[in-house]
Amino acid sequence: MPDKKNIFVFGLDPFHLEQAKCVRGAENYEFHGVLDHDEVVQPKKYDIARMIEEADATLRDFGGTVDALISHWDFPASTIQPIVCRRHGLRSASLEAVLKCEHKYWARVMQREAIPDLTPEFAAIDPFADDPLEGIKVPYPFWVKPIKGFSSTLGYRIDKAEDFYEVLPTIRKNIRRLGEPFNEILRHADLPDDIAKVDGNHMIAEQIIKGKQCGLEGYVHEGHVAIHIIVDCVKDTENKSFTRYELPSHWPQRIRDRMLEATKALMAHIGYDSQPFGIEFFWDDETDEIGVLEVNTRISQSHSEQLIMTEGASNHQVAIDLALGRDPAYCRDEGRYKQAAKFLLRRYEDAVVERVPSEDEIQAVEERFPGCKVKISVNEGDRLSDLRDQDSYSYECADIYMGAKDQNTLLENYQEAAHMLGFKFSDGGTFEDVQFEKKRF
């Protein structure tokens, strides 16, 4: 029997280890963690230099063969990965190709060159300038967001200049939390002069793209671009915070085809290869126009459970196959359910968490809905406004992964599960009905 392949995964914890083991041929792999989960996901401080050296040492000092290094997390793991892979001769996209996706300004420049009709107007903003909006020609309303960020942190809709200057103190106070660590990553890359001037402590203003949102997850292998899933990213009724990621998509096939062609053009232009990616689009069903939002440089752990439910294997399969030099043969429709989603249970008003579900209550939900998994994101006594890395409009309290035979059943089961959990808050409120609207396509 051949030796098992050693697969290293950033921030591996028990929950995601079980996902990784839900791949075909899992018996042929040994999984190993690189960096602790807490310092990869939501650390109080990012020490990039130490994290790179620790990841490097983990591989260097390993007693067996190092066959692959993969990530299902965003920054910093997604940008440390190509640096460490380059040092150890492992397959991955280049750091520069990764940054052409993750540096939001550089990404927009690439998109404007490759798919100009799908790229909104944009401009870089230095929030520490005397007059940050001087010379900005992006018409109102627009979004501002950090050059490097996630979970919509420090992202704001700006309808007039006064809106920007109202949030500017908050931006100045908090942007360096990710900006400085991202600058440390940029020092490892060969950057064009015009990109080097826009560092991690900058913002980007982007023309607002209207419509529904979805994400395509795919990969590039030896120059061939393939898409293995399309996920509908559904927001609340105010169109501000995500409430679920649902698959398969309900969008028309002709729109999916247009997104695929745009994706092929963009990823080829970037020079991205040997790695998974996720790309997000908007579609305005009134004008039939589509626009590109952003590209992520990894599989999404947010989609792994849904894919286990619908396809019969986690998307870790894609990351592992690529890292081992294989073209993934992935979608087989061998799962238990036809429809699945990750629901993000949110509160929109600040309060103190007075009660979270007990283990017995969580188990009752998971038994009531076979295949369901519940992950609680808060603790009793937490003030929601003190939570790190939340979006600018709401607070995520739990994730609920569910599958069902169809969309109607899926949404109805979620509402029942959410109320069964029995959260309580200091203001006497619960989870607003705004997020329970049944958006169908």
Side-chain angles (χ1 to χ4, degrees):
M1 180 177 179
D3 293 336
K4 291 186 177 183
K5 298 288 186 181
N6 292 299
I7 312 297
F8 289 80
V9 187
F10 280 101
L12 190 62
D13 64 345
F15 180 80
H16 295 94
L17 175 59
E18 289 306 308
Q19 292 179 341
K21 288 181 177 179
C22 290
V23 297
R24 299 176 181 92
E27 66 277 6
N28 299 317
Y29 305 132
E30 289 285 352
F31 293 98
H32 311 271
V34 177
L35 302 177
D36 290 337
H37 174 268
D38 289 346
E39 69 176 331
V40 168
V41 180
Q42 285 189 335
K44 293 182 179 179
K45 182 179 179 181
Y46 295 89
D47 187 343
I48 297 297
R50 183 196 59 77
M51 294 173 79
I52 291 173
E53 293 310 313
E54 183 177 330
D56 187 26
T58 297
L59 302 191
R60 185 178 64 247
D61 298 340
F62 183 66
T65 61
V66 177
D67 299 295
L69 174 62
I70 66 172
S71 178
H72 50 232
W73 293 115
D74 202 330
F75 182 82
S78 57
T79 52
I80 293 176
Q81 179 194 2
I83 295 173
V84 178
C85 282
R86 183 167 57 190
R87 292 183 180 184
H88 290 265
L90 300 172
R91 291 182 181 86
S92 79
S94 69
L95 176 59
E96 288 73 19
V98 167
L99 291 175
K100 288 175 184 178
C101 301
E102 296 207 12
H103 184 298
K104 292 190 186 300
Y105 181 77
W106 199 359
R108 286 303 191 194
V109 171
M110 291 292 103
Q111 294 160 21
R112 185 171 58 191
E113 292 173 356
I115 48 175
D117 293 343
L118 277 63
T119 305
E121 293 188 45
F122 64 95
I125 295 177
D126 180 358
F128 298 99
D130 292 337
D131 185 1
L133 294 184
E134 183 179 8
I136 301 299
K137 298 179 180 179
V138 180
Y140 295 104
F142 57 75
W143 282 98
V144 293
K145 57 186 74 172
I147 289 299
K148 182 63 217 171
F150 49 78
S151 300
S152 301
T153 302
L154 296 184
Y156 299 97
R157 177 187 169 110
I158 305 300
D159 290 291
K160 54 187 182 303
E162 290 80 2
D163 293 344
F164 176 78
Y165 289 108
E166 182 178 343
V167 299
L168 182 58
T170 301
I171 292 171
R172 286 175 169 173
K173 178 182 178 181
N174 294 289
I175 193 171
R176 295 188 189 277
R177 169 171 158 73
L178 286 180
E180 287 301 327
F182 191 57
N183 286 342
E184 182 65 29
I185 293 290
L186 295 179
R187 295 186 184 101
H188 290 264
D190 184 13
L191 304 176
D193 291 342
D194 60 326
I195 302 302
K197 295 175 182 177
V198 183
D199 71 3
N201 294 322
H202 280 68
M203 304 286 286
I204 185 171
E206 297 180 338
Q207 176 187 5
I208 291 178
I209 313 173
K210 297 179 180 179
K212 301 178 176 70
Q213 187 173 341
C214 83
L216 285 67
E217 190 171 283
Y219 61 89
V220 187
H221 175 68
E222 296 181 353
H224 172 69
V225 179
I227 299 298
H228 52 267
I229 54 166
I230 302 179
V231 180
D232 291 339
C233 307
V234 183
K235 289 188 174 182
D236 56 36
T237 53
E238 296 182 1
N239 202 35
K240 289 182 176 179
S241 298
F242 290 110
T243 58
R244 72 180 185 268
Y245 303 114
E246 181 180 352
L247 62 89
S249 174
H250 295 268
W251 286 23
Q253 185 62 51
R254 58 186 175 77
I255 301 299
R256 298 185 225 175
D257 291 342
R258 286 167 60 188
M259 292 189 298
L260 177 58
E261 291 306 309
T263 299
K264 289 180 177 179
L266 177 59
M267 303 313 288
H269 182 67
I270 289 172
Y272 192 92
D273 208 342
S274 302
Q275 196 159 307
F277 65 85
I279 182 169
E280 296 180 23
F281 287 89
F282 281 92
W283 166 50
D284 187 332
D285 56 351
E286 294 182 358
T287 65
D288 221 29
E289 295 180 348
I290 62 173
V292 64
L293 176 61
E294 63 182 10
V295 182
N296 296 304
T297 58
R298 55 183 170 79
I299 61 167
S300 173
Q301 53 81 27
S302 286
H303 304 331
S304 300
E305 284 294 332
Q306 300 97 294
L307 286 163
I308 293 169
M309 294 176 186
T310 57
E311 299 297 335
S314 171
N315 50 354
H316 289 82
Q317 180 90 52
V318 177
I320 292 169
D321 282 345
L322 290 170
L324 295 176
R326 302 191 294 244
D327 188 358
Y330 182 68
C331 292
R332 299 184 182 180
D333 194 26
E334 296 175 350
R336 178 177 182 177
Y337 298 105
K338 294 297 183 182
Q339 201 78 23
K342 174 185 177 180
F343 294 93
L344 291 76
L345 195 57
R346 295 185 179 275
R347 279 272 308 190
Y348 291 79
E349 299 295 333
D350 190 19
V352 174
V353 182
E354 291 190 340
R355 184 183 186 279
V356 299
S358 66
E359 290 298 326
D360 287 344
E361 288 171 320
I362 293 172
Q363 183 176 350
V365 171
E366 294 178 345
E367 290 178 353
R368 170 74 178 84
F369 304 105
C372 173
K373 291 187 178 180
V374 178
K375 288 195 69 180
I376 307 301
S377 307
V378 295
N379 299 302
E380 289 184 6
D382 284 351
R383 175 162 288 280
L384 297 177
S385 58
D386 291 337
L387 299 175
R388 291 198 300 271
D389 300 326
Q390 298 288 310
D391 74 24
S392 301
Y393 300 99
S394 65
Y395 310 100
E396 183 180 347
C397 297
D399 296 332
I400 303 176
Y401 304 84
M402 304 186 81
K405 62 181 181 180
D406 55 44
Q407 188 184 55
N408 284 344
T409 304
L410 180 69
L411 298 176
E412 291 166 0
N413 289 352
Y414 166 60
Q415 292 185 52
E416 181 179 346
H419 290 296
M420 286 177 65
L421 291 175
F423 280 93
K424 290 185 179 179
F425 300 90
S426 59
D427 60 359
T430 180
F431 296 100
E432 290 83 349
D433 289 337
V434 65
Q435 64 176 294
F436 293 138
E437 184 191 32
K438 297 180 180 180
K439 285 196 174 183
R440 297 177 173 85
F441 299 92

